[in-house]
Amino acid sequence: MGLDAKTLKHRLTHDTQKEFGGTLGAVCIPIFLPLTVLFLISLSRSPDASVLQWPPSLPSYNQLLDPLAPVLLLGWIALHVLLYHLPCGKVSEGLVLRDGTRLKYPINGFHGLCVSAALLILLVCLGAPLGYVFELLLPLAASAIAVSFLLSIYLYVRSFWAPSHALALGGNTGNPLYDFFIGRELNPRIGSFDLKYFCELRPGLIGWVVINFGMLMKEVELRGSPSLAMMLVNSFQLLYVADALWNEEAVLTTMDIVHDGFGFMLVFGDLAWVPFTYGLQAAFLVVHPQTLSWLKAMFILSLNGIGYYIFRKSNSQKNQFRRDPTHPTVTGLETIATATGKRLLVSGWWGFVRHPNYLGDLLMALAWSLPCGFSHILPYFYVIYFTVLLVHREARDERQCKAKYGLAWDTYCHRVPYRIFPYIY
C-alpha cells in the first residue's frame, strides 16, 4: 500500500534516529572540522609538527589567501565535470528508489584518473613547477572549504522543490541545522548530472593523489630525488584510489549513495576532508624526511599488500553476491534467509568477521603511516581517525541491518560474533 504525503512526512520526521550527535553535532562539526583541516596542514608544514602544542597553531588570514588557489580548484572541478560527461565507459543503474525507478550512472571515473595522470605527465615534461602545490596547500584547502559551504547551501535550498519521495529518510527532520548538515535530498541532479555521485569519487579522490604527487615533486626540488618513504606513500594511496575508481560501480550500493542525503557532511568530506587530510603523510615527509631500510620497506609493503588483499577480496565477494548469487564463485557459500527475500552471507570472508573490508582498510591505513617513522604522531592521524570512523560506521550498519533483517541479523551476529577485528572486536 502506498503512503500519502502526510504519512510519509510523519515517518520521515519522527521515525528516524539522528546521527552524529543530532543538532549539537550539526552545529559543531561544520565549525571544528574545517578548522581541523587547516590546523593539520599547518602542523604538517611546521618543523615541530606537535599536535600537543597549546594554543594550537592556526594559519593567519593572509596564509589562506592566494588568487591562484580558487582558480585551480574551480578549474579542476570543471575538468572533471567535463570528463564525467564524456561518452566512454558503460552506464549502470542504481538500486530501486522509493518511487520504483532506477537512476543511471556513468561508470567512467577510471578514465578521469587516466586523463588526470596524462595531464600531470605533460606538465612534468613542460617543466611546470608542480612542487608549488606544497605552498598552495592552505589556500587550496580554504578554497575547498568555501566551495563546500556554498554547494551545501545550494543543495539545502533546492531540496525544498524536490518531491517527497526524493528526500533522504534521515534528512527531513524539520530541524534546519541538522537537515543542512546531513542532507535533505537523496540524489540531487542537474539534468542527468548526479551531484552526489560526482563528488563521491571524482574531484576530491583524484585530487588527493594529485596533491600527493605535488608533494613528491616538492621533495625532488628540495633533495634531488624522491625518498623511498615518499614513493611508498604515493604508490599505496594511488593504488587505493585507482582501485576505488576501477570498481566504481560498487559505490552504487554503498551507504553514502543509497541511504545518506547529500548535505554538508558528504560535501565537505568529499571535497575538503579527503584530499587534504588523507594524504597528510606526504606533506609531512616534505618537511620531515625519513630514511627507510629495505627490510622496513618490505615489511610495510607486505602489510599494505595483506590489507589490500583482504579489502579487495571481501568487497569483490560481497559485490558479486549482490549482483548474481548464482555465480560460481559464490554459489558454494553458506547463507541465511531473511524476511526481505534477500540472503546474508555467513561463510567466506563474511563468515570471518562482519566487516572484513574494514579490517583490510585499517591495515592499509597503518601501512600508509609507517613510512613516516615514530618521531611524530601527526602522520598517524589518518589511521586513528579512520579507526574511529569505521567503528562508528559499523555501528550505523548494525542499526540499519537490525531494522531491515530482524531475527535473521541476530542469527548472523551469533554465527559471526566479531565485528572488525577477529577475537578482539
Side-chain angles (χ1 to χ4, degrees):
M1 181 182 296
L3 296 176
D4 59 32
K6 183 176 180 181
T7 304
L8 179 60
K9 182 177 180 181
H10 174 85
R11 181 169 295 181
L12 290 173
T13 304
H14 299 286
D15 294 348
T16 55
Q17 180 177 354
K18 289 184 179 179
E19 305 277 359
F20 300 97
T23 304
L24 180 62
V27 172
C28 294
I29 292 174
I31 295 173
F32 289 106
L33 281 195
L35 292 176
T36 299
V37 170
L38 300 177
F39 171 65
L40 290 172
I41 294 173
S42 296
L43 278 187
S44 69
R45 292 157 51 93
S46 68
D48 294 335
S50 173
V51 297
L52 301 178
Q53 177 182 341
W54 189 262
S57 176
L58 288 174
S60 66
Y61 180 72
N62 289 335
Q63 289 177 296
L64 302 179
L65 298 179
D66 190 309
L68 181 59
V71 173
L72 287 176
L73 178 69
L74 294 176
W76 175 253
I77 294 173
L79 168 66
H80 283 277
V81 171
L82 175 65
L83 295 175
Y84 178 99
H85 287 95
L86 287 181
C88 56
K90 66 178 182 178
V91 175
S92 292
E93 290 186 334
L95 299 183
V96 178
L97 301 175
R98 291 201 303 274
D99 64 350
T101 63
R102 290 175 181 261
L103 296 176
K104 293 184 177 180
Y105 299 88
I107 309 299
N108 58 11
F110 192 78
H111 296 83
L113 176 65
C114 292
V115 171
S116 301
L119 289 175
L120 283 180
I121 293 171
L122 177 61
L123 288 172
V124 170
C125 292
L126 293 175
L130 296 181
Y132 189 61
V133 172
F134 178 75
E135 273 69 41
L136 284 177
L137 271 182
L138 282 170
L140 282 172
S143 299
I145 291 167
V147 169
S148 298
F149 273 103
L150 291 174
L151 179 55
S152 299
I153 292 169
Y154 164 75
L155 291 166
Y156 180 74
V157 172
R158 65 160 277 161
S159 70
F160 289 95
W161 281 267
S164 57
H165 64 75
L167 300 178
L169 289 175
N172 187 30
T173 65
N175 181 323
L177 293 172
Y178 181 78
D179 292 347
F180 168 82
F181 170 74
I182 209 73
R184 294 188 80 243
E185 195 173 355
L186 184 62
N187 301 294
R189 288 189 162 208
I190 301 174
S192 62
F193 180 56
D194 192 293
L195 291 164
K196 180 165 69 169
Y197 175 69
F198 168 75
C199 290
E200 186 78 10
L201 290 180
R202 308 295 179 105
L205 204 68
I206 301 175
W208 168 18
V209 295
V210 170
I211 290 172
N212 277 357
F213 186 69
M215 301 305 101
L216 184 148
M217 295 304 296
K218 182 64 177 180
E219 193 174 55
V220 170
E221 290 179 16
L222 294 174
R223 302 179 186 100
S225 64
S227 64
L228 179 56
M230 179 69 82
M231 289 191 289
L232 285 178
V233 168
N234 268 256
S235 300
F236 292 163
Q237 295 182 356
L238 175 60
L239 171 65
Y240 189 79
V241 171
D243 176 88
L245 292 165
W246 182 261
N247 296 282
E248 184 178 20
E249 191 173 8
V251 80
L252 301 181
T253 61
T254 61
M255 182 185 294
D256 287 358
I257 298 295
V258 174
H259 177 268
D260 293 333
F262 196 40
F264 181 83
M265 177 186 73
L266 286 181
V267 173
F268 173 79
D270 292 340
L271 300 183
W273 186 260
V274 168
F276 293 100
T277 66
Y278 281 26
L280 278 174
Q281 300 91 344
F284 174 86
L285 287 171
V286 172
V287 181
H288 308 86
Q290 303 291 318
T291 301
L292 279 183
S293 68
W294 282 104
L295 182 61
K296 291 179 181 177
M298 290 305 296
F299 171 77
I300 296 170
L301 190 65
S302 299
L303 180 64
N304 191 76
I306 292 169
Y308 178 73
Y309 180 82
I310 295 172
F311 173 80
R312 175 47 36 220
K313 285 293 186 178
S314 59
N315 273 325
S316 296
Q317 188 176 78
K318 175 188 66 176
N319 295 333
Q320 184 61 63
F321 184 74
R322 284 177 174 174
R323 284 196 306 267
D324 181 12
T326 64
H327 193 274
T329 59
V330 294
T331 50
L333 297 176
E334 187 180 354
T335 61
I336 295 175
T338 71
T340 65
K342 296 182 179 180
R343 303 187 72 87
L344 299 174
L345 282 172
V346 289
S347 64
W349 286 104
W350 299 87
F352 178 53
V353 290
R354 294 181 216 166
H355 298 277
N357 51 340
Y358 292 178
L359 174 62
D361 238 334
L362 291 172
L363 292 176
M364 286 189 288
L366 179 59
W368 300 353
S369 301
L370 287 174
C372 299
F374 299 102
S375 60
H376 297 78
I377 196 163
L378 179 64
Y380 293 85
F381 168 81
Y382 174 76
V383 68
I384 295 169
Y385 151 77
F386 211 53
T387 300
V388 175
L389 173 72
L390 292 184
V391 168
H392 175 263
R393 179 171 290 183
E394 184 275 333
R396 294 181 75 199
D397 290 342
E398 290 283 321
R399 287 195 299 270
Q400 292 180 21
C401 290
K402 171 66 175 174
K404 184 175 182 179
Y405 300 119
L407 291 176
W409 185 253
D410 292 336
T411 303
Y412 173 69
C413 292
H414 179 74
R415 292 281 303 274
V416 186
Y418 298 105
R419 300 167 183 246
I420 300 176
F421 300 100
Y423 306 104
I424 299 175
Y425 175 76

